[in-house]
Amino acid sequence: MSLVTIIGFGMFLHCTVVLKGGKWLGRTYCGGGSTIVAPVHDGYVLQKAVSVSPIGGEFLTDCLIKSLESKGVRIRPRYSFKRKEVRPEEFQTVDLDFPNTTESYRLYCQRVIASDIKECVCRAPDTPYDDTSYSNIPMTSYELPDGQTIEIGSDRFKTPDVLFNPSLVKTILGMEGSIDIAATARGLPQMVIESINKCDVDIRRELFSSILLAGGTSSMQQLKERLEKDLLEESPQAARVKVLASGNSTERRFSVWIGGSILASLGSFQQMWFSKSEYEEHGCSYIQRKCP
């Protein structure tokens, strides 16, 4: 059995296991730190066909923050204020001063709020994003923790579409430092097709029909439908494209840790350990070589 999985994973662990019929089928992970397309055939990852993109959920969060800042939206960290009720259902925001708070912690708190905005209002557009088509769409309201209500329009479609068209980064004010990263990245459909085309011809049809989404970013609204639509347009006519995703968003979000716990419980896991000195000598890429 063969399957391609699109996987999004966090910064610390890359260890998603996809099981079907007692066999590992594949993985496509689309999450925090990056996006990985990894075909799996008869329980083995086909390393030569693995495709990686630096664009993941955290990158999309950065895009959304910069887009909102360019429109004058200020995201205040939760620790910098408190709200007290002055009248029934009427609140007043009082500024708090924490002079020793580090800049990194302030940015982290802002990113937590921006990530929630992304998860609540963003959705992958049905068609490739362009400013003309999405300039007049209805606005969506979001209430920030300090009580400020903001209106989000085309950004809720533009930000997710960066996964499909990384060149959109060039149009986002404040993301100039990431243009080089976006220039080398490929869109999600292109990554899947490229990965499948690197596999043997006799398993490609099966891979096209078993594309599994996992990872937190894969839970974004309409992502599954948009990916399937683009793959149908760009894949060979003979291919029967089918994108699969767990209906349980919690399971999809924590698929890395679920997979890691399954792997750690296997008897063969003891052979995968390596020492700190080995890690320092070879770097993080040694994980892929030691635990393919």
Side-chain angles (χ1 to χ4, degrees):
M1 183 69 73
S2 304
L3 179 142
V4 172
T5 323
I6 301 175
I7 309 170
F9 64 102
M11 300 288 288
F12 306 106
L13 178 65
H14 172 200
C15 184
T16 296
V17 177
V18 180
L19 297 174
K20 184 174 180 182
K23 298 181 179 180
W24 294 8
L25 298 179
R27 49 191 179 180
T28 305
Y29 194 83
C30 188
S34 60
T35 298
I36 293 180
V37 176
V40 177
H41 180 63
D42 284 343
Y44 294 94
V45 178
L46 306 181
Q47 291 287 345
K48 65 177 183 180
V50 172
S51 183
V52 183
S53 168
I55 296 178
E58 294 178 0
F59 191 92
L60 299 185
T61 300
D62 289 338
C63 291
L64 182 59
I65 290 174
K66 297 302 182 183
S67 292
L68 294 176
E69 287 179 348
S70 69
K71 294 174 173 61
V73 175
R74 178 189 172 207
I75 299 177
R76 300 173 65 185
R78 291 180 184 271
Y79 67 80
S80 67
F81 64 88
K82 70 176 181 178
R83 299 179 69 191
K84 63 179 182 179
E85 192 171 17
V86 292
R87 297 184 189 85
E89 298 187 7
E90 184 178 336
F91 294 86
Q92 181 180 19
T93 302
V94 179
D95 291 336
L96 300 177
D97 184 25
F98 289 90
N100 296 323
T101 304
T102 62
E103 179 68 8
S104 61
Y105 183 68
R106 182 186 70 80
L107 292 173
Y108 166 75
C109 292
Q110 287 181 320
R111 290 175 63 84
V112 169
I113 298 171
S115 182
D116 186 67
I117 298 173
K118 179 187 70 178
E119 293 171 6
C120 291
V121 306
C122 287
R123 52 165 287 181
D126 298 327
T127 58
Y129 177 89
D130 68 86
D131 291 324
T132 304
S133 301
Y134 287 87
S135 59
N136 296 319
I137 63 168
M139 308 289 277
T140 297
S141 300
Y142 181 91
E143 184 178 351
L144 294 173
D146 62 358
Q148 175 190 182
T149 299
I150 60 176
E151 299 291 332
I152 304 174
S154 60
D155 287 335
R156 64 192 176 102
F157 294 98
K158 185 177 186 177
T159 300
D161 205 47
V162 171
L163 272 176
F164 296 85
N165 181 15
S167 63
L168 279 175
V169 171
K170 294 185 290 187
T171 66
I172 300 175
L173 294 176
M175 290 296 292
E176 292 81 5
S178 300
I179 289 178
D180 290 341
I181 295 176
T184 60
R186 290 142 300 163
L188 194 52
Q190 291 74 37
M191 290 175 63
V192 174
I193 292 173
E194 177 185 299
S195 181
I196 292 176
N197 286 338
K198 288 181 179 178
C199 299
D200 292 340
V201 175
D202 56 345
I203 66 170
R204 290 179 189 173
R205 180 177 298 221
E206 194 172 5
L207 290 171
F208 270 115
S209 64
S210 304
I211 299 169
L212 179 63
L213 291 172
T217 303
S218 70
S219 300
M220 187 175 295
Q221 299 176 56
Q222 293 297 117
L223 180 66
K224 172 182 173 291
E225 291 77 8
R226 170 65 186 282
L227 177 60
E228 190 168 83
K229 176 178 177 292
D230 284 7
L231 287 175
L232 283 169
E233 294 175 355
E234 299 182 29
S235 60
Q237 290 185 349
R240 295 180 58 188
V241 175
K242 184 64 176 177
V243 178
L244 311 168
S246 170
N248 187 329
S249 59
T250 301
E251 181 180 323
R252 229 188 295 179
R253 177 182 295 272
F254 296 106
S255 55
V256 168
W257 302 101
I258 294 171
S261 67
I262 294 172
L263 180 63
S265 67
L266 299 176
S268 57
F269 185 66
Q270 297 303 318
Q271 303 168 13
M272 299 179 183
W273 291 104
F274 54 89
S275 65
K276 178 182 176 182
S277 60
E278 287 179 295
Y279 180 85
E280 291 174 344
E281 179 181 354
H282 300 285
C284 60
S285 62
Y286 192 58
I287 297 174
Q288 296 291 346
R289 290 161 51 192
K290 185 80 172 180
C291 316

